[in-house]
Amino acid sequence: MSHFQPVPGGSRTVIRDRYALIGPDSHVPSVLPGWTQTTAHILISPAMGAGFVQTLLILDKKASGTGNTGAEEHFYYVLEGSCRLNGKDLTAGHYGWLPPSSKFEVQSSASKVMRFAKQYEPLVGTPVPAAFFGDSAKVPETPFLGDPQARLRSLIPETDLGHDFAVNIFTFDPGATLPFVEIHIMEHGLLVLEGGGIYRLNDDWHPVAQGDVIWMAPYCPQWFIAKGPGPTRYLYSKNVNREPHTLPLHPKG
Ligand code: UGY
Ligand code: MN
């Protein structure tokens, strides 16, 4: 991802109360404990108001990362190159989901990985799902709300109520759109994998391209039209399958 800056002091990145658009030109690395030879860009986090963390991990030839997911679930998606996650060899388009309280062990022979991490919310009477791995190319596409030009791949089986977090890949043909301006309680973390278009976020319209990351807060109005000439694909997360939390009652008096 290049540090292209069209105008001195200018950036396409905007951080608003209800959304953020983060272009590759504004990435700044962090050092993460447990990771060696790794450049980590923490792009979305609770520090901006999000309920999850989305981190781009750029792993060198002999990079490694070890730790425990603790109270969180982790989702790893390989963007480029190859790496090994908990003994499983993964290449571009492959992914892995780890439950809370599990060890993670990553070794890389140079790769770029997008990681989503969220506090796991257990559901009484429903078992916590086991770790699993997959290849996005093998996940069938389904037309989104009946539109064959906008197709969805679900990488985490949402039908298992043990899962409280979805990660999907949306593919749009040129000119295809989200069918209406969505407004919903679920929040999103998004990465444009390929192509681009115009994203409506709240009351703003932004051109977006490959490598752009978007955070959409709950109830942020959202709409998208894909540009072409090729397909546009984006990877995005969504909290699912849980009742919203209520706030404690205000004490009287
Ligand atoms: O799943 C979704 O809410 C999806 N249609 N939203 C989006 O792509 N912005
Ligand atoms: Mn949405």
Side-chain angles (χ1 to χ4, degrees), residues 144 170 178 182-184 186-188 199 216 220 222 234 236-238:
F144 183 62
F170 226 134
L178 284 180
E182 295 182 2
I183 300 174
H184 50 62
M186 303 76 107
E187 69 177 326
H188 294 314
Y199 229 104
M216 290 171 243
C220 175
Q222 56 201 253
Y234 60 68
Y236 74 101
S237 69
K238 184 174 183 176

Side-chain angles (χ1 to χ4, degrees), residues 12-16 18-24 26-27 42-45 48 50-55 114 116 165 172 178 186-193 195-202 204-218 220-225 232-238:
R12 293 174 48 250
T13 294
V14 288
I15 310 294
R16 303 272 192 256
R18 310 301 299 154
Y19 75 86
L21 167 64
I22 300 140
S26 58
H27 290 184
I42 304 168
L43 301 171
I44 299 177
S45 76
M48 64 170 49
F52 64 97
V53 180
Q54 185 175 328
T55 306
M114 190 59 87
F116 297 85
F165 197 60
F172 295 85
L178 284 180
M186 303 76 107
E187 69 177 326
H188 294 314
L190 183 153
L191 168 71
V192 181
L193 295 170
I198 303 290
Y199 229 104
R200 176 181 172 168
L201 298 162
N202 213 354
D204 305 320
W205 282 258
H206 292 279
V208 297
Q210 186 180 347
D212 284 350
V213 162
I214 301 174
W215 167 59
M216 290 171 243
C220 175
Q222 56 201 253
W223 181 81
F224 178 67
I225 183 164
T232 292
R233 290 188 306 129
Y234 60 68
L235 176 76
Y236 74 101
S237 69
K238 184 174 183 176

